[in-house]
Amino acid sequence: MPLHLYRDVYASGSVPPSWVPTTGGTIKYPVRNPAVRRYLRQLLPGRWQKVIKQGNSGEVHYFEHASGQVAGVKYYPH
């Protein structure tokens, strides 16, 4: 499960530059899988959240650190 850290979702290369998040379309919750949480904390210690963000052309799922860095970015077009 190699996850890489990025400064934002666009830097991952998974999200098209034309994607724009919609207002009020964000869901954030704690990382529930203990193995994934442990792996993320090895990448960068601290608090991680799972984020699902709706956008104009699809939705983006990723893990977000308290610093704003992201990992495991996946784009799902509509």
Side-chain angles (χ1 to χ4, degrees):
M1 168 182 39
L3 298 176
H4 303 284
L5 286 174
Y6 302 100
R7 62 176 159 41
D8 59 31
V9 293
Y10 298 105
S12 71
S14 300
V15 179
S18 61
W19 182 83
V20 179
T22 56
T23 306
T26 303
I27 300 170
K28 293 184 179 187
Y29 54 90
V31 178
R32 295 184 183 135
N33 185 319
V36 173
R37 187 172 51 237
R38 194 169 33 253
Y39 182 85
L40 289 166
R41 287 182 178 161
Q42 287 176 354
L43 282 177
L44 192 62
R47 184 170 168 231
W48 284 91
Q49 290 185 316
K50 173 71 177 178
V51 180
I52 300 172
K53 206 172 256 200
Q54 299 287 333
N56 60 339
S57 62
E59 62 182 42
V60 179
H61 297 208
Y62 58 94
F63 299 104
E64 182 179 56
H65 187 260
S67 68
Q69 294 185 64
V70 299
V73 180
K74 292 182 184 171
Y75 173 72
Y76 298 98
H78 287 168

